[in-house]
Amino acid sequence: MSPDHAIEKDVAMCEVANFTVDDDSSLSGPIKGNHGNCSSFMAYFNVVCVVAGTGTLGLPYAFMQGGWLGLLIFFLSWVMSIYTGVLLVNALYGVPNRRMSTFKELSTVCFGWIGGWFTFFLQSWILIGVPSLYMVLSGQNMNSLCQGTSAELTARYWAIICTVFVGLPFVLVKTMKEVAWASAIGAATTTIVVLIVLVVACVEQPSLPTPQHDAVIWPQFPSALATISFTFGGNVIYPNVELSMRHPRQWPKVLAIGLSSCAALYLLCAVPSYYIYGRDTLSPIYKNLPRNAAYMVAVVLMTIHVLMAAPLLLTSLSLDLEEILHLKRFGATKEAIIRSTLRIVILGIVMIIAIFLPYFDLLMELVGSVSNCTLIFVLPIVSYLKLTGVRNKPYYELAWMALIMVFGLVGLIFGTKGAIEGLITRIAQGVPS
């Protein structure tokens, strides 16, 4: 089988249930040469580190918003995210003898320059918004830890300090491979925090009042859907993660195992937490814990996680911008200067957002609504259909795709509305974050 035929067959056979990993020897010429040397194991950690963290903390609150029916939405979102993540990367190979390098390039090929820039705007919203959210959370955590000590500042000052700390690896390293070590640390800290929350909540349960639960809360359900979609929001870095892999044919397996690992952590944290705290569930979930040593450890570890994950997202954004600007044409010295300047500007934007919008739960909901719902549940499917056609698909697959897009559009419309209204209210009233 020729390389072109093998790639075209991969694009056409993107069933979510088919996770058979072929040898990547059929990748040759420019397609194989563009890939990095990162192992599948480290690619797995990249996925887990970026996807897991804040989703673990926010999912119990999403169940509180939407009720137990949120579990159904969670399982749908999990399966749909694996499916569309496979579709997205396979669509990058939809043009013979070429591997499209970015989500923007894929949308440009499919929908012209307007579609390309629209996708890039949504992608940038996540790649700027999520690190900003991480800096908000880090600032709040450090402020909580330092209260009553000589290091006591405000959450906003700590957000500035954390942004500068994150900026060091972000400005100094060049590619995803060079920050891959941070992924392993981030994944480990998230797992430990989940175990801490689970153990402390179970120990504390006998002393708590009987919690109140809801089967479903329809007025808040779209907001819950948006928050749940955020928990599997990794599409923005998938093209760069797959491009960094030594064996890119293993991407479906890496993605499926990575998102399934995240789902296991989510369930281990979210279900017991909502069962124990009910309508009193907070976001992030460790705010429900008593202020003891376990709480301190959880806060420290989650702060480490978000500080490790932020450079991965920011590096992905910078790599996309550098591709658009064609920095390699300037030579090594000028390229390094322009890259550093660009990344410092990105950090400045992150810092401004973290200072002036310090509302963790609503920021999570807004980012999930506007960008994740579109980039996870809508654009990968329409791009795939544009490249491979509609009439050659079985009816059940088209019905499944339609369900996924409806799922995403509901979260986009109603979740965005709720998040913006909540942010306006809190800012106008000066409600603390």
Side-chain angles (χ1 to χ4, degrees), residues 260-272:
S260 297
S261 299
C262 294
L265 288 174
Y266 292 158
L267 291 173
L268 195 60
C269 181
V271 174

Side-chain angles (χ1 to χ4, degrees), residues 384-425:
Y384 175 72
L385 292 176
K386 178 73 172 179
L387 289 171
T388 64
V390 176
R391 295 183 178 180
N392 58 347
K393 307 292 187 300
Y395 288 116
Y396 66 84
E397 185 177 8
L398 293 175
W400 172 241
M401 290 179 174
L403 176 63
I404 294 174
M405 289 191 286
V406 170
F407 186 90
L409 290 174
V410 169
L412 168 65
I413 296 170
F414 293 100
T416 300
K417 178 177 178 291
I420 291 176
E421 289 174 350
L423 280 171
I424 291 173
T425 300

